[in-house]
Amino acid sequence: MRAQEFITEAGTGLDSMHGGHRVKQKVYQTMANAGYKKIGRGLDASVWAKDAGSVIKIITSGQTPFLKFYKFCRAHPDNPYLPRFVPIHGRDHEVFKLYGEKFLQVSMEKLRKLRSGSPQEFLIWYLEDAAGKNKSWDKVVHELTADQGSELRKYEKQFPSKTLQIIYKSLTSRPEDWLPLYKTIVALRKHTGSSSWDLHTDNAMLRADGTIVIIDPDRKSTRPEHQSHLNLVCRLLLE
């Protein structure tokens, strides 16, 4: 087994110091040769896939909050609403230094996006707000089911009526089904801290069986240097 380290840049950060464009081309070609494909990139991370079951997420050096989230997930391995991490060569995460900065690599299960306007998207959107207001689960259920769902109908501009009907039916017949998700959101919010809490519908995803999975509830770094450029580092362990 041999470790190959590469640097890519998103912005202007490494062009002058390390020949960013040339290195970026080498990274992409080496990844392609190894069978990896880039399937996404956000403000502070890039995501790569090699097989159907897992992805590698590379997070910029300022993102120690994700490691805090990782430890929370490891402490609750049976919680279905948290991601499952997938070992690659015996490790599912690694913190390492490159050019004096720390970076984090995480390998985790491959998930799919929440469908816009879906019941799952509504639940993340509504329950996150309820948790922020310290509402009890009984109050949440009452609000959404009282007066034959009149409260739900207030959201018809944001969500299809079919979605709201599904939520109403679910909460009137089996409200306990969604209680564990709400408890997870409340616990994560407490663990993260209100000043860093950043759960929204873009950082929750779906497992193949339809389970909602929270993937990154921490606020992103807003340091000026991260706004001007983001150094994305990929450390691939290749046979």
Side-chain angles (χ1 to χ4, degrees):
M1 180 177 70
R2 55 196 173 89
Q4 295 190 20
E5 295 179 349
F6 305 106
I7 299 174
T8 67
E9 60 86 25
T12 60
L14 294 181
D15 277 331
S16 59
M17 292 175 60
H18 301 293
H21 181 67
R22 176 174 56 83
V23 176
K24 180 177 179 179
Q25 287 183 325
K26 180 180 178 181
V27 170
Y28 277 52
Q29 186 59 56
T30 305
M31 286 179 167
N33 292 343
Y36 284 87
K37 293 183 179 180
K38 189 175 74 171
I39 61 173
R41 191 180 86 186
L43 177 64
D44 59 358
S46 57
V47 182
W48 308 84
K50 188 173 183 178
D51 57 52
S54 64
V55 299
I56 291 179
K57 183 173 184 178
I58 311 301
I59 304 171
T60 54
S61 58
Q63 295 311 305
T64 52
F66 192 92
L67 188 56
K68 183 179 179 181
F69 172 63
Y70 168 87
K71 292 178 179 177
F72 180 91
C73 295
R74 278 303 192 196
H76 302 85
D78 297 325
N79 189 320
Y81 305 109
L82 299 175
R84 297 165 182 163
F85 298 96
V86 182
I88 297 178
H89 302 295
R91 291 177 291 180
D92 58 22
H93 85 289
E94 182 179 10
V95 178
F96 57 95
K97 277 189 176 182
L98 195 61
Y99 297 113
E101 287 194 84
K102 286 184 178 180
F103 295 84
L104 174 63
Q105 169 187 299
V106 179
S107 54
M108 57 189 289
E109 64 179 316
K110 192 173 184 179
L111 303 163
R112 56 189 174 91
K113 292 182 179 181
L114 296 180
R115 182 171 54 84
S116 178
S118 66
Q120 294 90 344
E121 185 183 54
F122 177 86
L123 283 167
I124 287 294
W125 178 73
Y126 193 90
L127 295 183
E128 187 282 327
D129 182 71
K133 295 175 180 177
N134 297 312
K135 293 181 180 180
S136 69
W137 178 243
D138 288 342
K139 185 172 183 179
V140 170
V141 174
H142 176 75
E143 286 180 349
L144 295 179
T145 59
D147 195 20
Q148 297 184 334
S150 61
E151 178 71 18
L152 271 172
R153 290 193 289 274
K154 294 179 181 179
Y155 303 103
E156 288 180 340
K157 289 185 178 180
Q158 292 93 344
F159 291 89
S161 58
K162 183 178 180 180
T163 288
L164 301 179
Q165 290 169 8
I166 291 173
I167 294 294
Y168 178 76
K169 183 177 180 180
S170 175
L171 289 176
T172 53
S173 61
R174 297 180 59 87
E176 67 277 7
D177 286 355
W178 295 113
L179 176 57
L181 173 62
Y182 188 54
K183 285 184 175 180
T184 299
I185 293 173
V186 171
L188 264 174
R189 191 177 193 279
K190 182 178 180 180
H191 175 79
T192 303
S194 58
S195 63
S196 297
W197 181 245
D198 190 36
L199 178 63
H200 49 80
T201 55
D202 286 335
N203 53 26
M205 301 185 78
L206 286 182
R207 212 169 266 130
D209 63 3
T211 301
I212 296 172
V213 180
I214 299 169
I215 59 168
D216 190 358
D218 251 301
R219 191 176 305 279
K220 310 309 179 193
S221 171
T222 55
R223 292 189 302 169
E225 62 265 34
H226 286 172
Q227 293 174 348
S228 62
H229 70 272
L230 298 168
N231 303 330
L232 304 182
V233 176
C234 186
R235 178 169 181 164
L236 299 179
L237 299 177
L238 306 177
E239 295 292 350

